[in-house]
Amino acid sequence: MNVIRLEDKFAQFTDHWNPRVIGELNDQHIKIARVQGEFIWHNHAQEDELFMVVRGQLLIDFRDGTTAELNPGELLVVPRGTDHRPHCAAETWIMMIEPKSTVNTGDQTASERTRTQLEQI
Amino acid sequence: MNVIRLEDKFAQFTDHWNPRVIGELNDQHIKIARVQGEFIWHNHAQEDELFMVVRGQLLIDFRDGTTAELNPGELLVVPRGTDHRPHCAAETWIMMIEPKSTVNTGDQTASERTRTQLEQI
């Protein structure tokens, strides 16, 4: 049975905001990404999205003006349909679990930030 | 938006092999448990089960004679229908993600190890 070692997986790439698929369960993908700077506002109409921080600190803004602060050992589920904007000053390593159908830029028109063909590592 | 701090959640109970629900996404529960000693052989016919170790070390035996070793920062998806037996010598803190329908003892006849009404914390 294949143990997934997060540290080893993050060592396989260095670019930002480009999620890799590291596993799957129940029609969902387990993804990891290195992120730094600001992502765009978006939501996923049908998909709840789990965020976990592996290293660093992730901030997620919401339309009500609040910002969730996620540190290692903390997780957050962004419910479907909820606008959110992830950002962080320093490079941060995150893990996400969400349905296989989930596209990173959600309801937004495809842009240079959009990733539809994710590498499996 | 509600950040889930694992350390705080584990501080709310001390018993073993009694999973608590700490969140949900896409019809699945996010559960945590303190475990120590040996659990029973079982499988979940319809449900893939994600294991992550938060503290300690979890061993999971499989019928082919192999044993997966899970340390903090490592995860394992046990595919549906796969017999497995978790165990550990020292107390270990684990997180699991699996469909809401999942019962801890899987296909086995309900016993004193079975937990069907899980506390939400």
Side-chain angles (χ1 to χ4, degrees), chain B residues 5-60:
Chain B
R5 197 156 178 270
L6 291 173
E7 188 101 12
D8 292 347
K9 297 295 186 184
F10 278 103
Q12 294 184 41
F13 62 96
T14 58
D15 57 343
H16 292 158
W17 303 110
N18 187 5
R20 267 69 172 185
V21 174
I22 61 167
E24 61 178 82
L25 75 156
N26 306 310
D27 291 319
Q28 297 177 113
H29 276 146
I30 308 167
K31 301 175 183 174
I32 58 170
R34 293 179 184 240
V35 298
Q36 187 169 18
E38 191 168 276
F39 203 64
I40 59 171
W41 281 106
H42 68 285
N43 73 69
H44 309 282
Q46 303 298 335
E47 297 121 339
D48 305 325
E49 189 172 32
L50 172 69
F51 287 93
M52 266 197 81
V53 167
V54 176
R55 186 176 292 191
Q57 181 185 70
L58 184 69
L59 302 174
I60 305 180

Side-chain angles (χ1 to χ4, degrees), chain A residues 3-44:
Chain A
V3 172
I4 300 166
R5 195 155 181 270
L6 292 175
E7 187 101 14
D8 292 346
K9 297 296 187 185
F10 279 104
Q12 293 183 41
F13 62 96
T14 57
D15 56 343
H16 292 157
W17 302 111
N18 188 6
R20 265 70 171 185
V21 174
I22 61 166
E24 61 177 84
L25 75 158
N26 305 310
D27 291 320
Q28 297 177 115
H29 276 147
I30 308 168
K31 301 174 183 174
I32 59 171
R34 293 179 185 240
V35 298
Q36 186 169 18
E38 191 167 276
F39 203 64
I40 59 170
W41 281 105
H42 68 285
N43 74 68
H44 309 282

Side-chain angles (χ1 to χ4, degrees), chain B residues 59-75:
Chain B
L59 302 174
I60 305 180
D61 297 337
F62 296 97
R63 292 293 191 190
D64 63 1
T66 61
T67 297
E69 178 187 307
L70 276 176
N71 297 294
E74 297 177 346
L75 40 127

Side-chain angles (χ1 to χ4, degrees), chain A residues 35-92:
Chain A
V35 298
Q36 186 169 18
E38 191 167 276
F39 203 64
I40 59 170
W41 281 105
H42 68 285
N43 74 68
H44 309 282
Q46 304 297 334
E47 298 122 339
D48 305 326
E49 189 170 33
L50 171 68
F51 288 93
M52 266 197 81
V53 167
V54 176
R55 186 177 292 189
Q57 181 184 68
L58 184 69
L59 302 172
I60 305 180
D61 296 337
F62 296 98
R63 292 291 191 191
D64 64 2
T66 61
T67 297
E69 179 187 306
L70 276 176
N71 297 294
E74 298 177 344
L75 38 129
L76 180 71
V77 178
V78 176
R80 57 192 68 193
T82 304
D83 274 351
H84 58 289
R85 178 175 58 182
H87 57 102
C88 52
E91 186 183 80
T92 293

Side-chain angles (χ1 to χ4, degrees), chain B residues 73-90:
Chain B
E74 297 177 346
L75 40 127
L76 180 70
V77 177
V78 176
R80 58 193 66 191
T82 305
D83 274 353
H84 58 287
R85 178 175 60 184
H87 58 102
C88 52

Side-chain angles (χ1 to χ4, degrees), chain B residues 59-121:
Chain B
L59 302 174
I60 305 180
D61 297 337
F62 296 97
R63 292 293 191 190
D64 63 1
T66 61
T67 297
E69 178 187 307
L70 276 176
N71 297 294
E74 297 177 346
L75 40 127
L76 180 70
V77 177
V78 176
R80 58 193 66 191
T82 305
D83 274 353
H84 58 287
R85 178 175 60 184
H87 58 102
C88 52
E91 186 182 80
T92 294
W93 295 6
I94 61 174
M95 184 172 88
M96 290 152 290
I97 298 181
E98 53 199 4
K100 290 181 180 177
S101 56
T102 309
V103 175
N104 63 334
T105 50
D107 61 317
Q108 297 301 294
T109 307
S111 68
E112 78 285 353
R113 310 301 297 262
T114 304
R115 299 284 178 276
T116 52
Q117 298 297 321
L118 300 187
E119 188 186 0
Q120 303 234 6
I121 60 173

Side-chain angles (χ1 to χ4, degrees), chain A residues 87-105:
Chain A
H87 57 102
C88 52
E91 186 183 80
T92 293
W93 295 6
I94 61 174
M95 184 172 86
M96 292 152 289
I97 298 180
E98 54 200 3
K100 290 181 181 179
S101 56
T102 309
V103 175
N104 64 332
T105 50

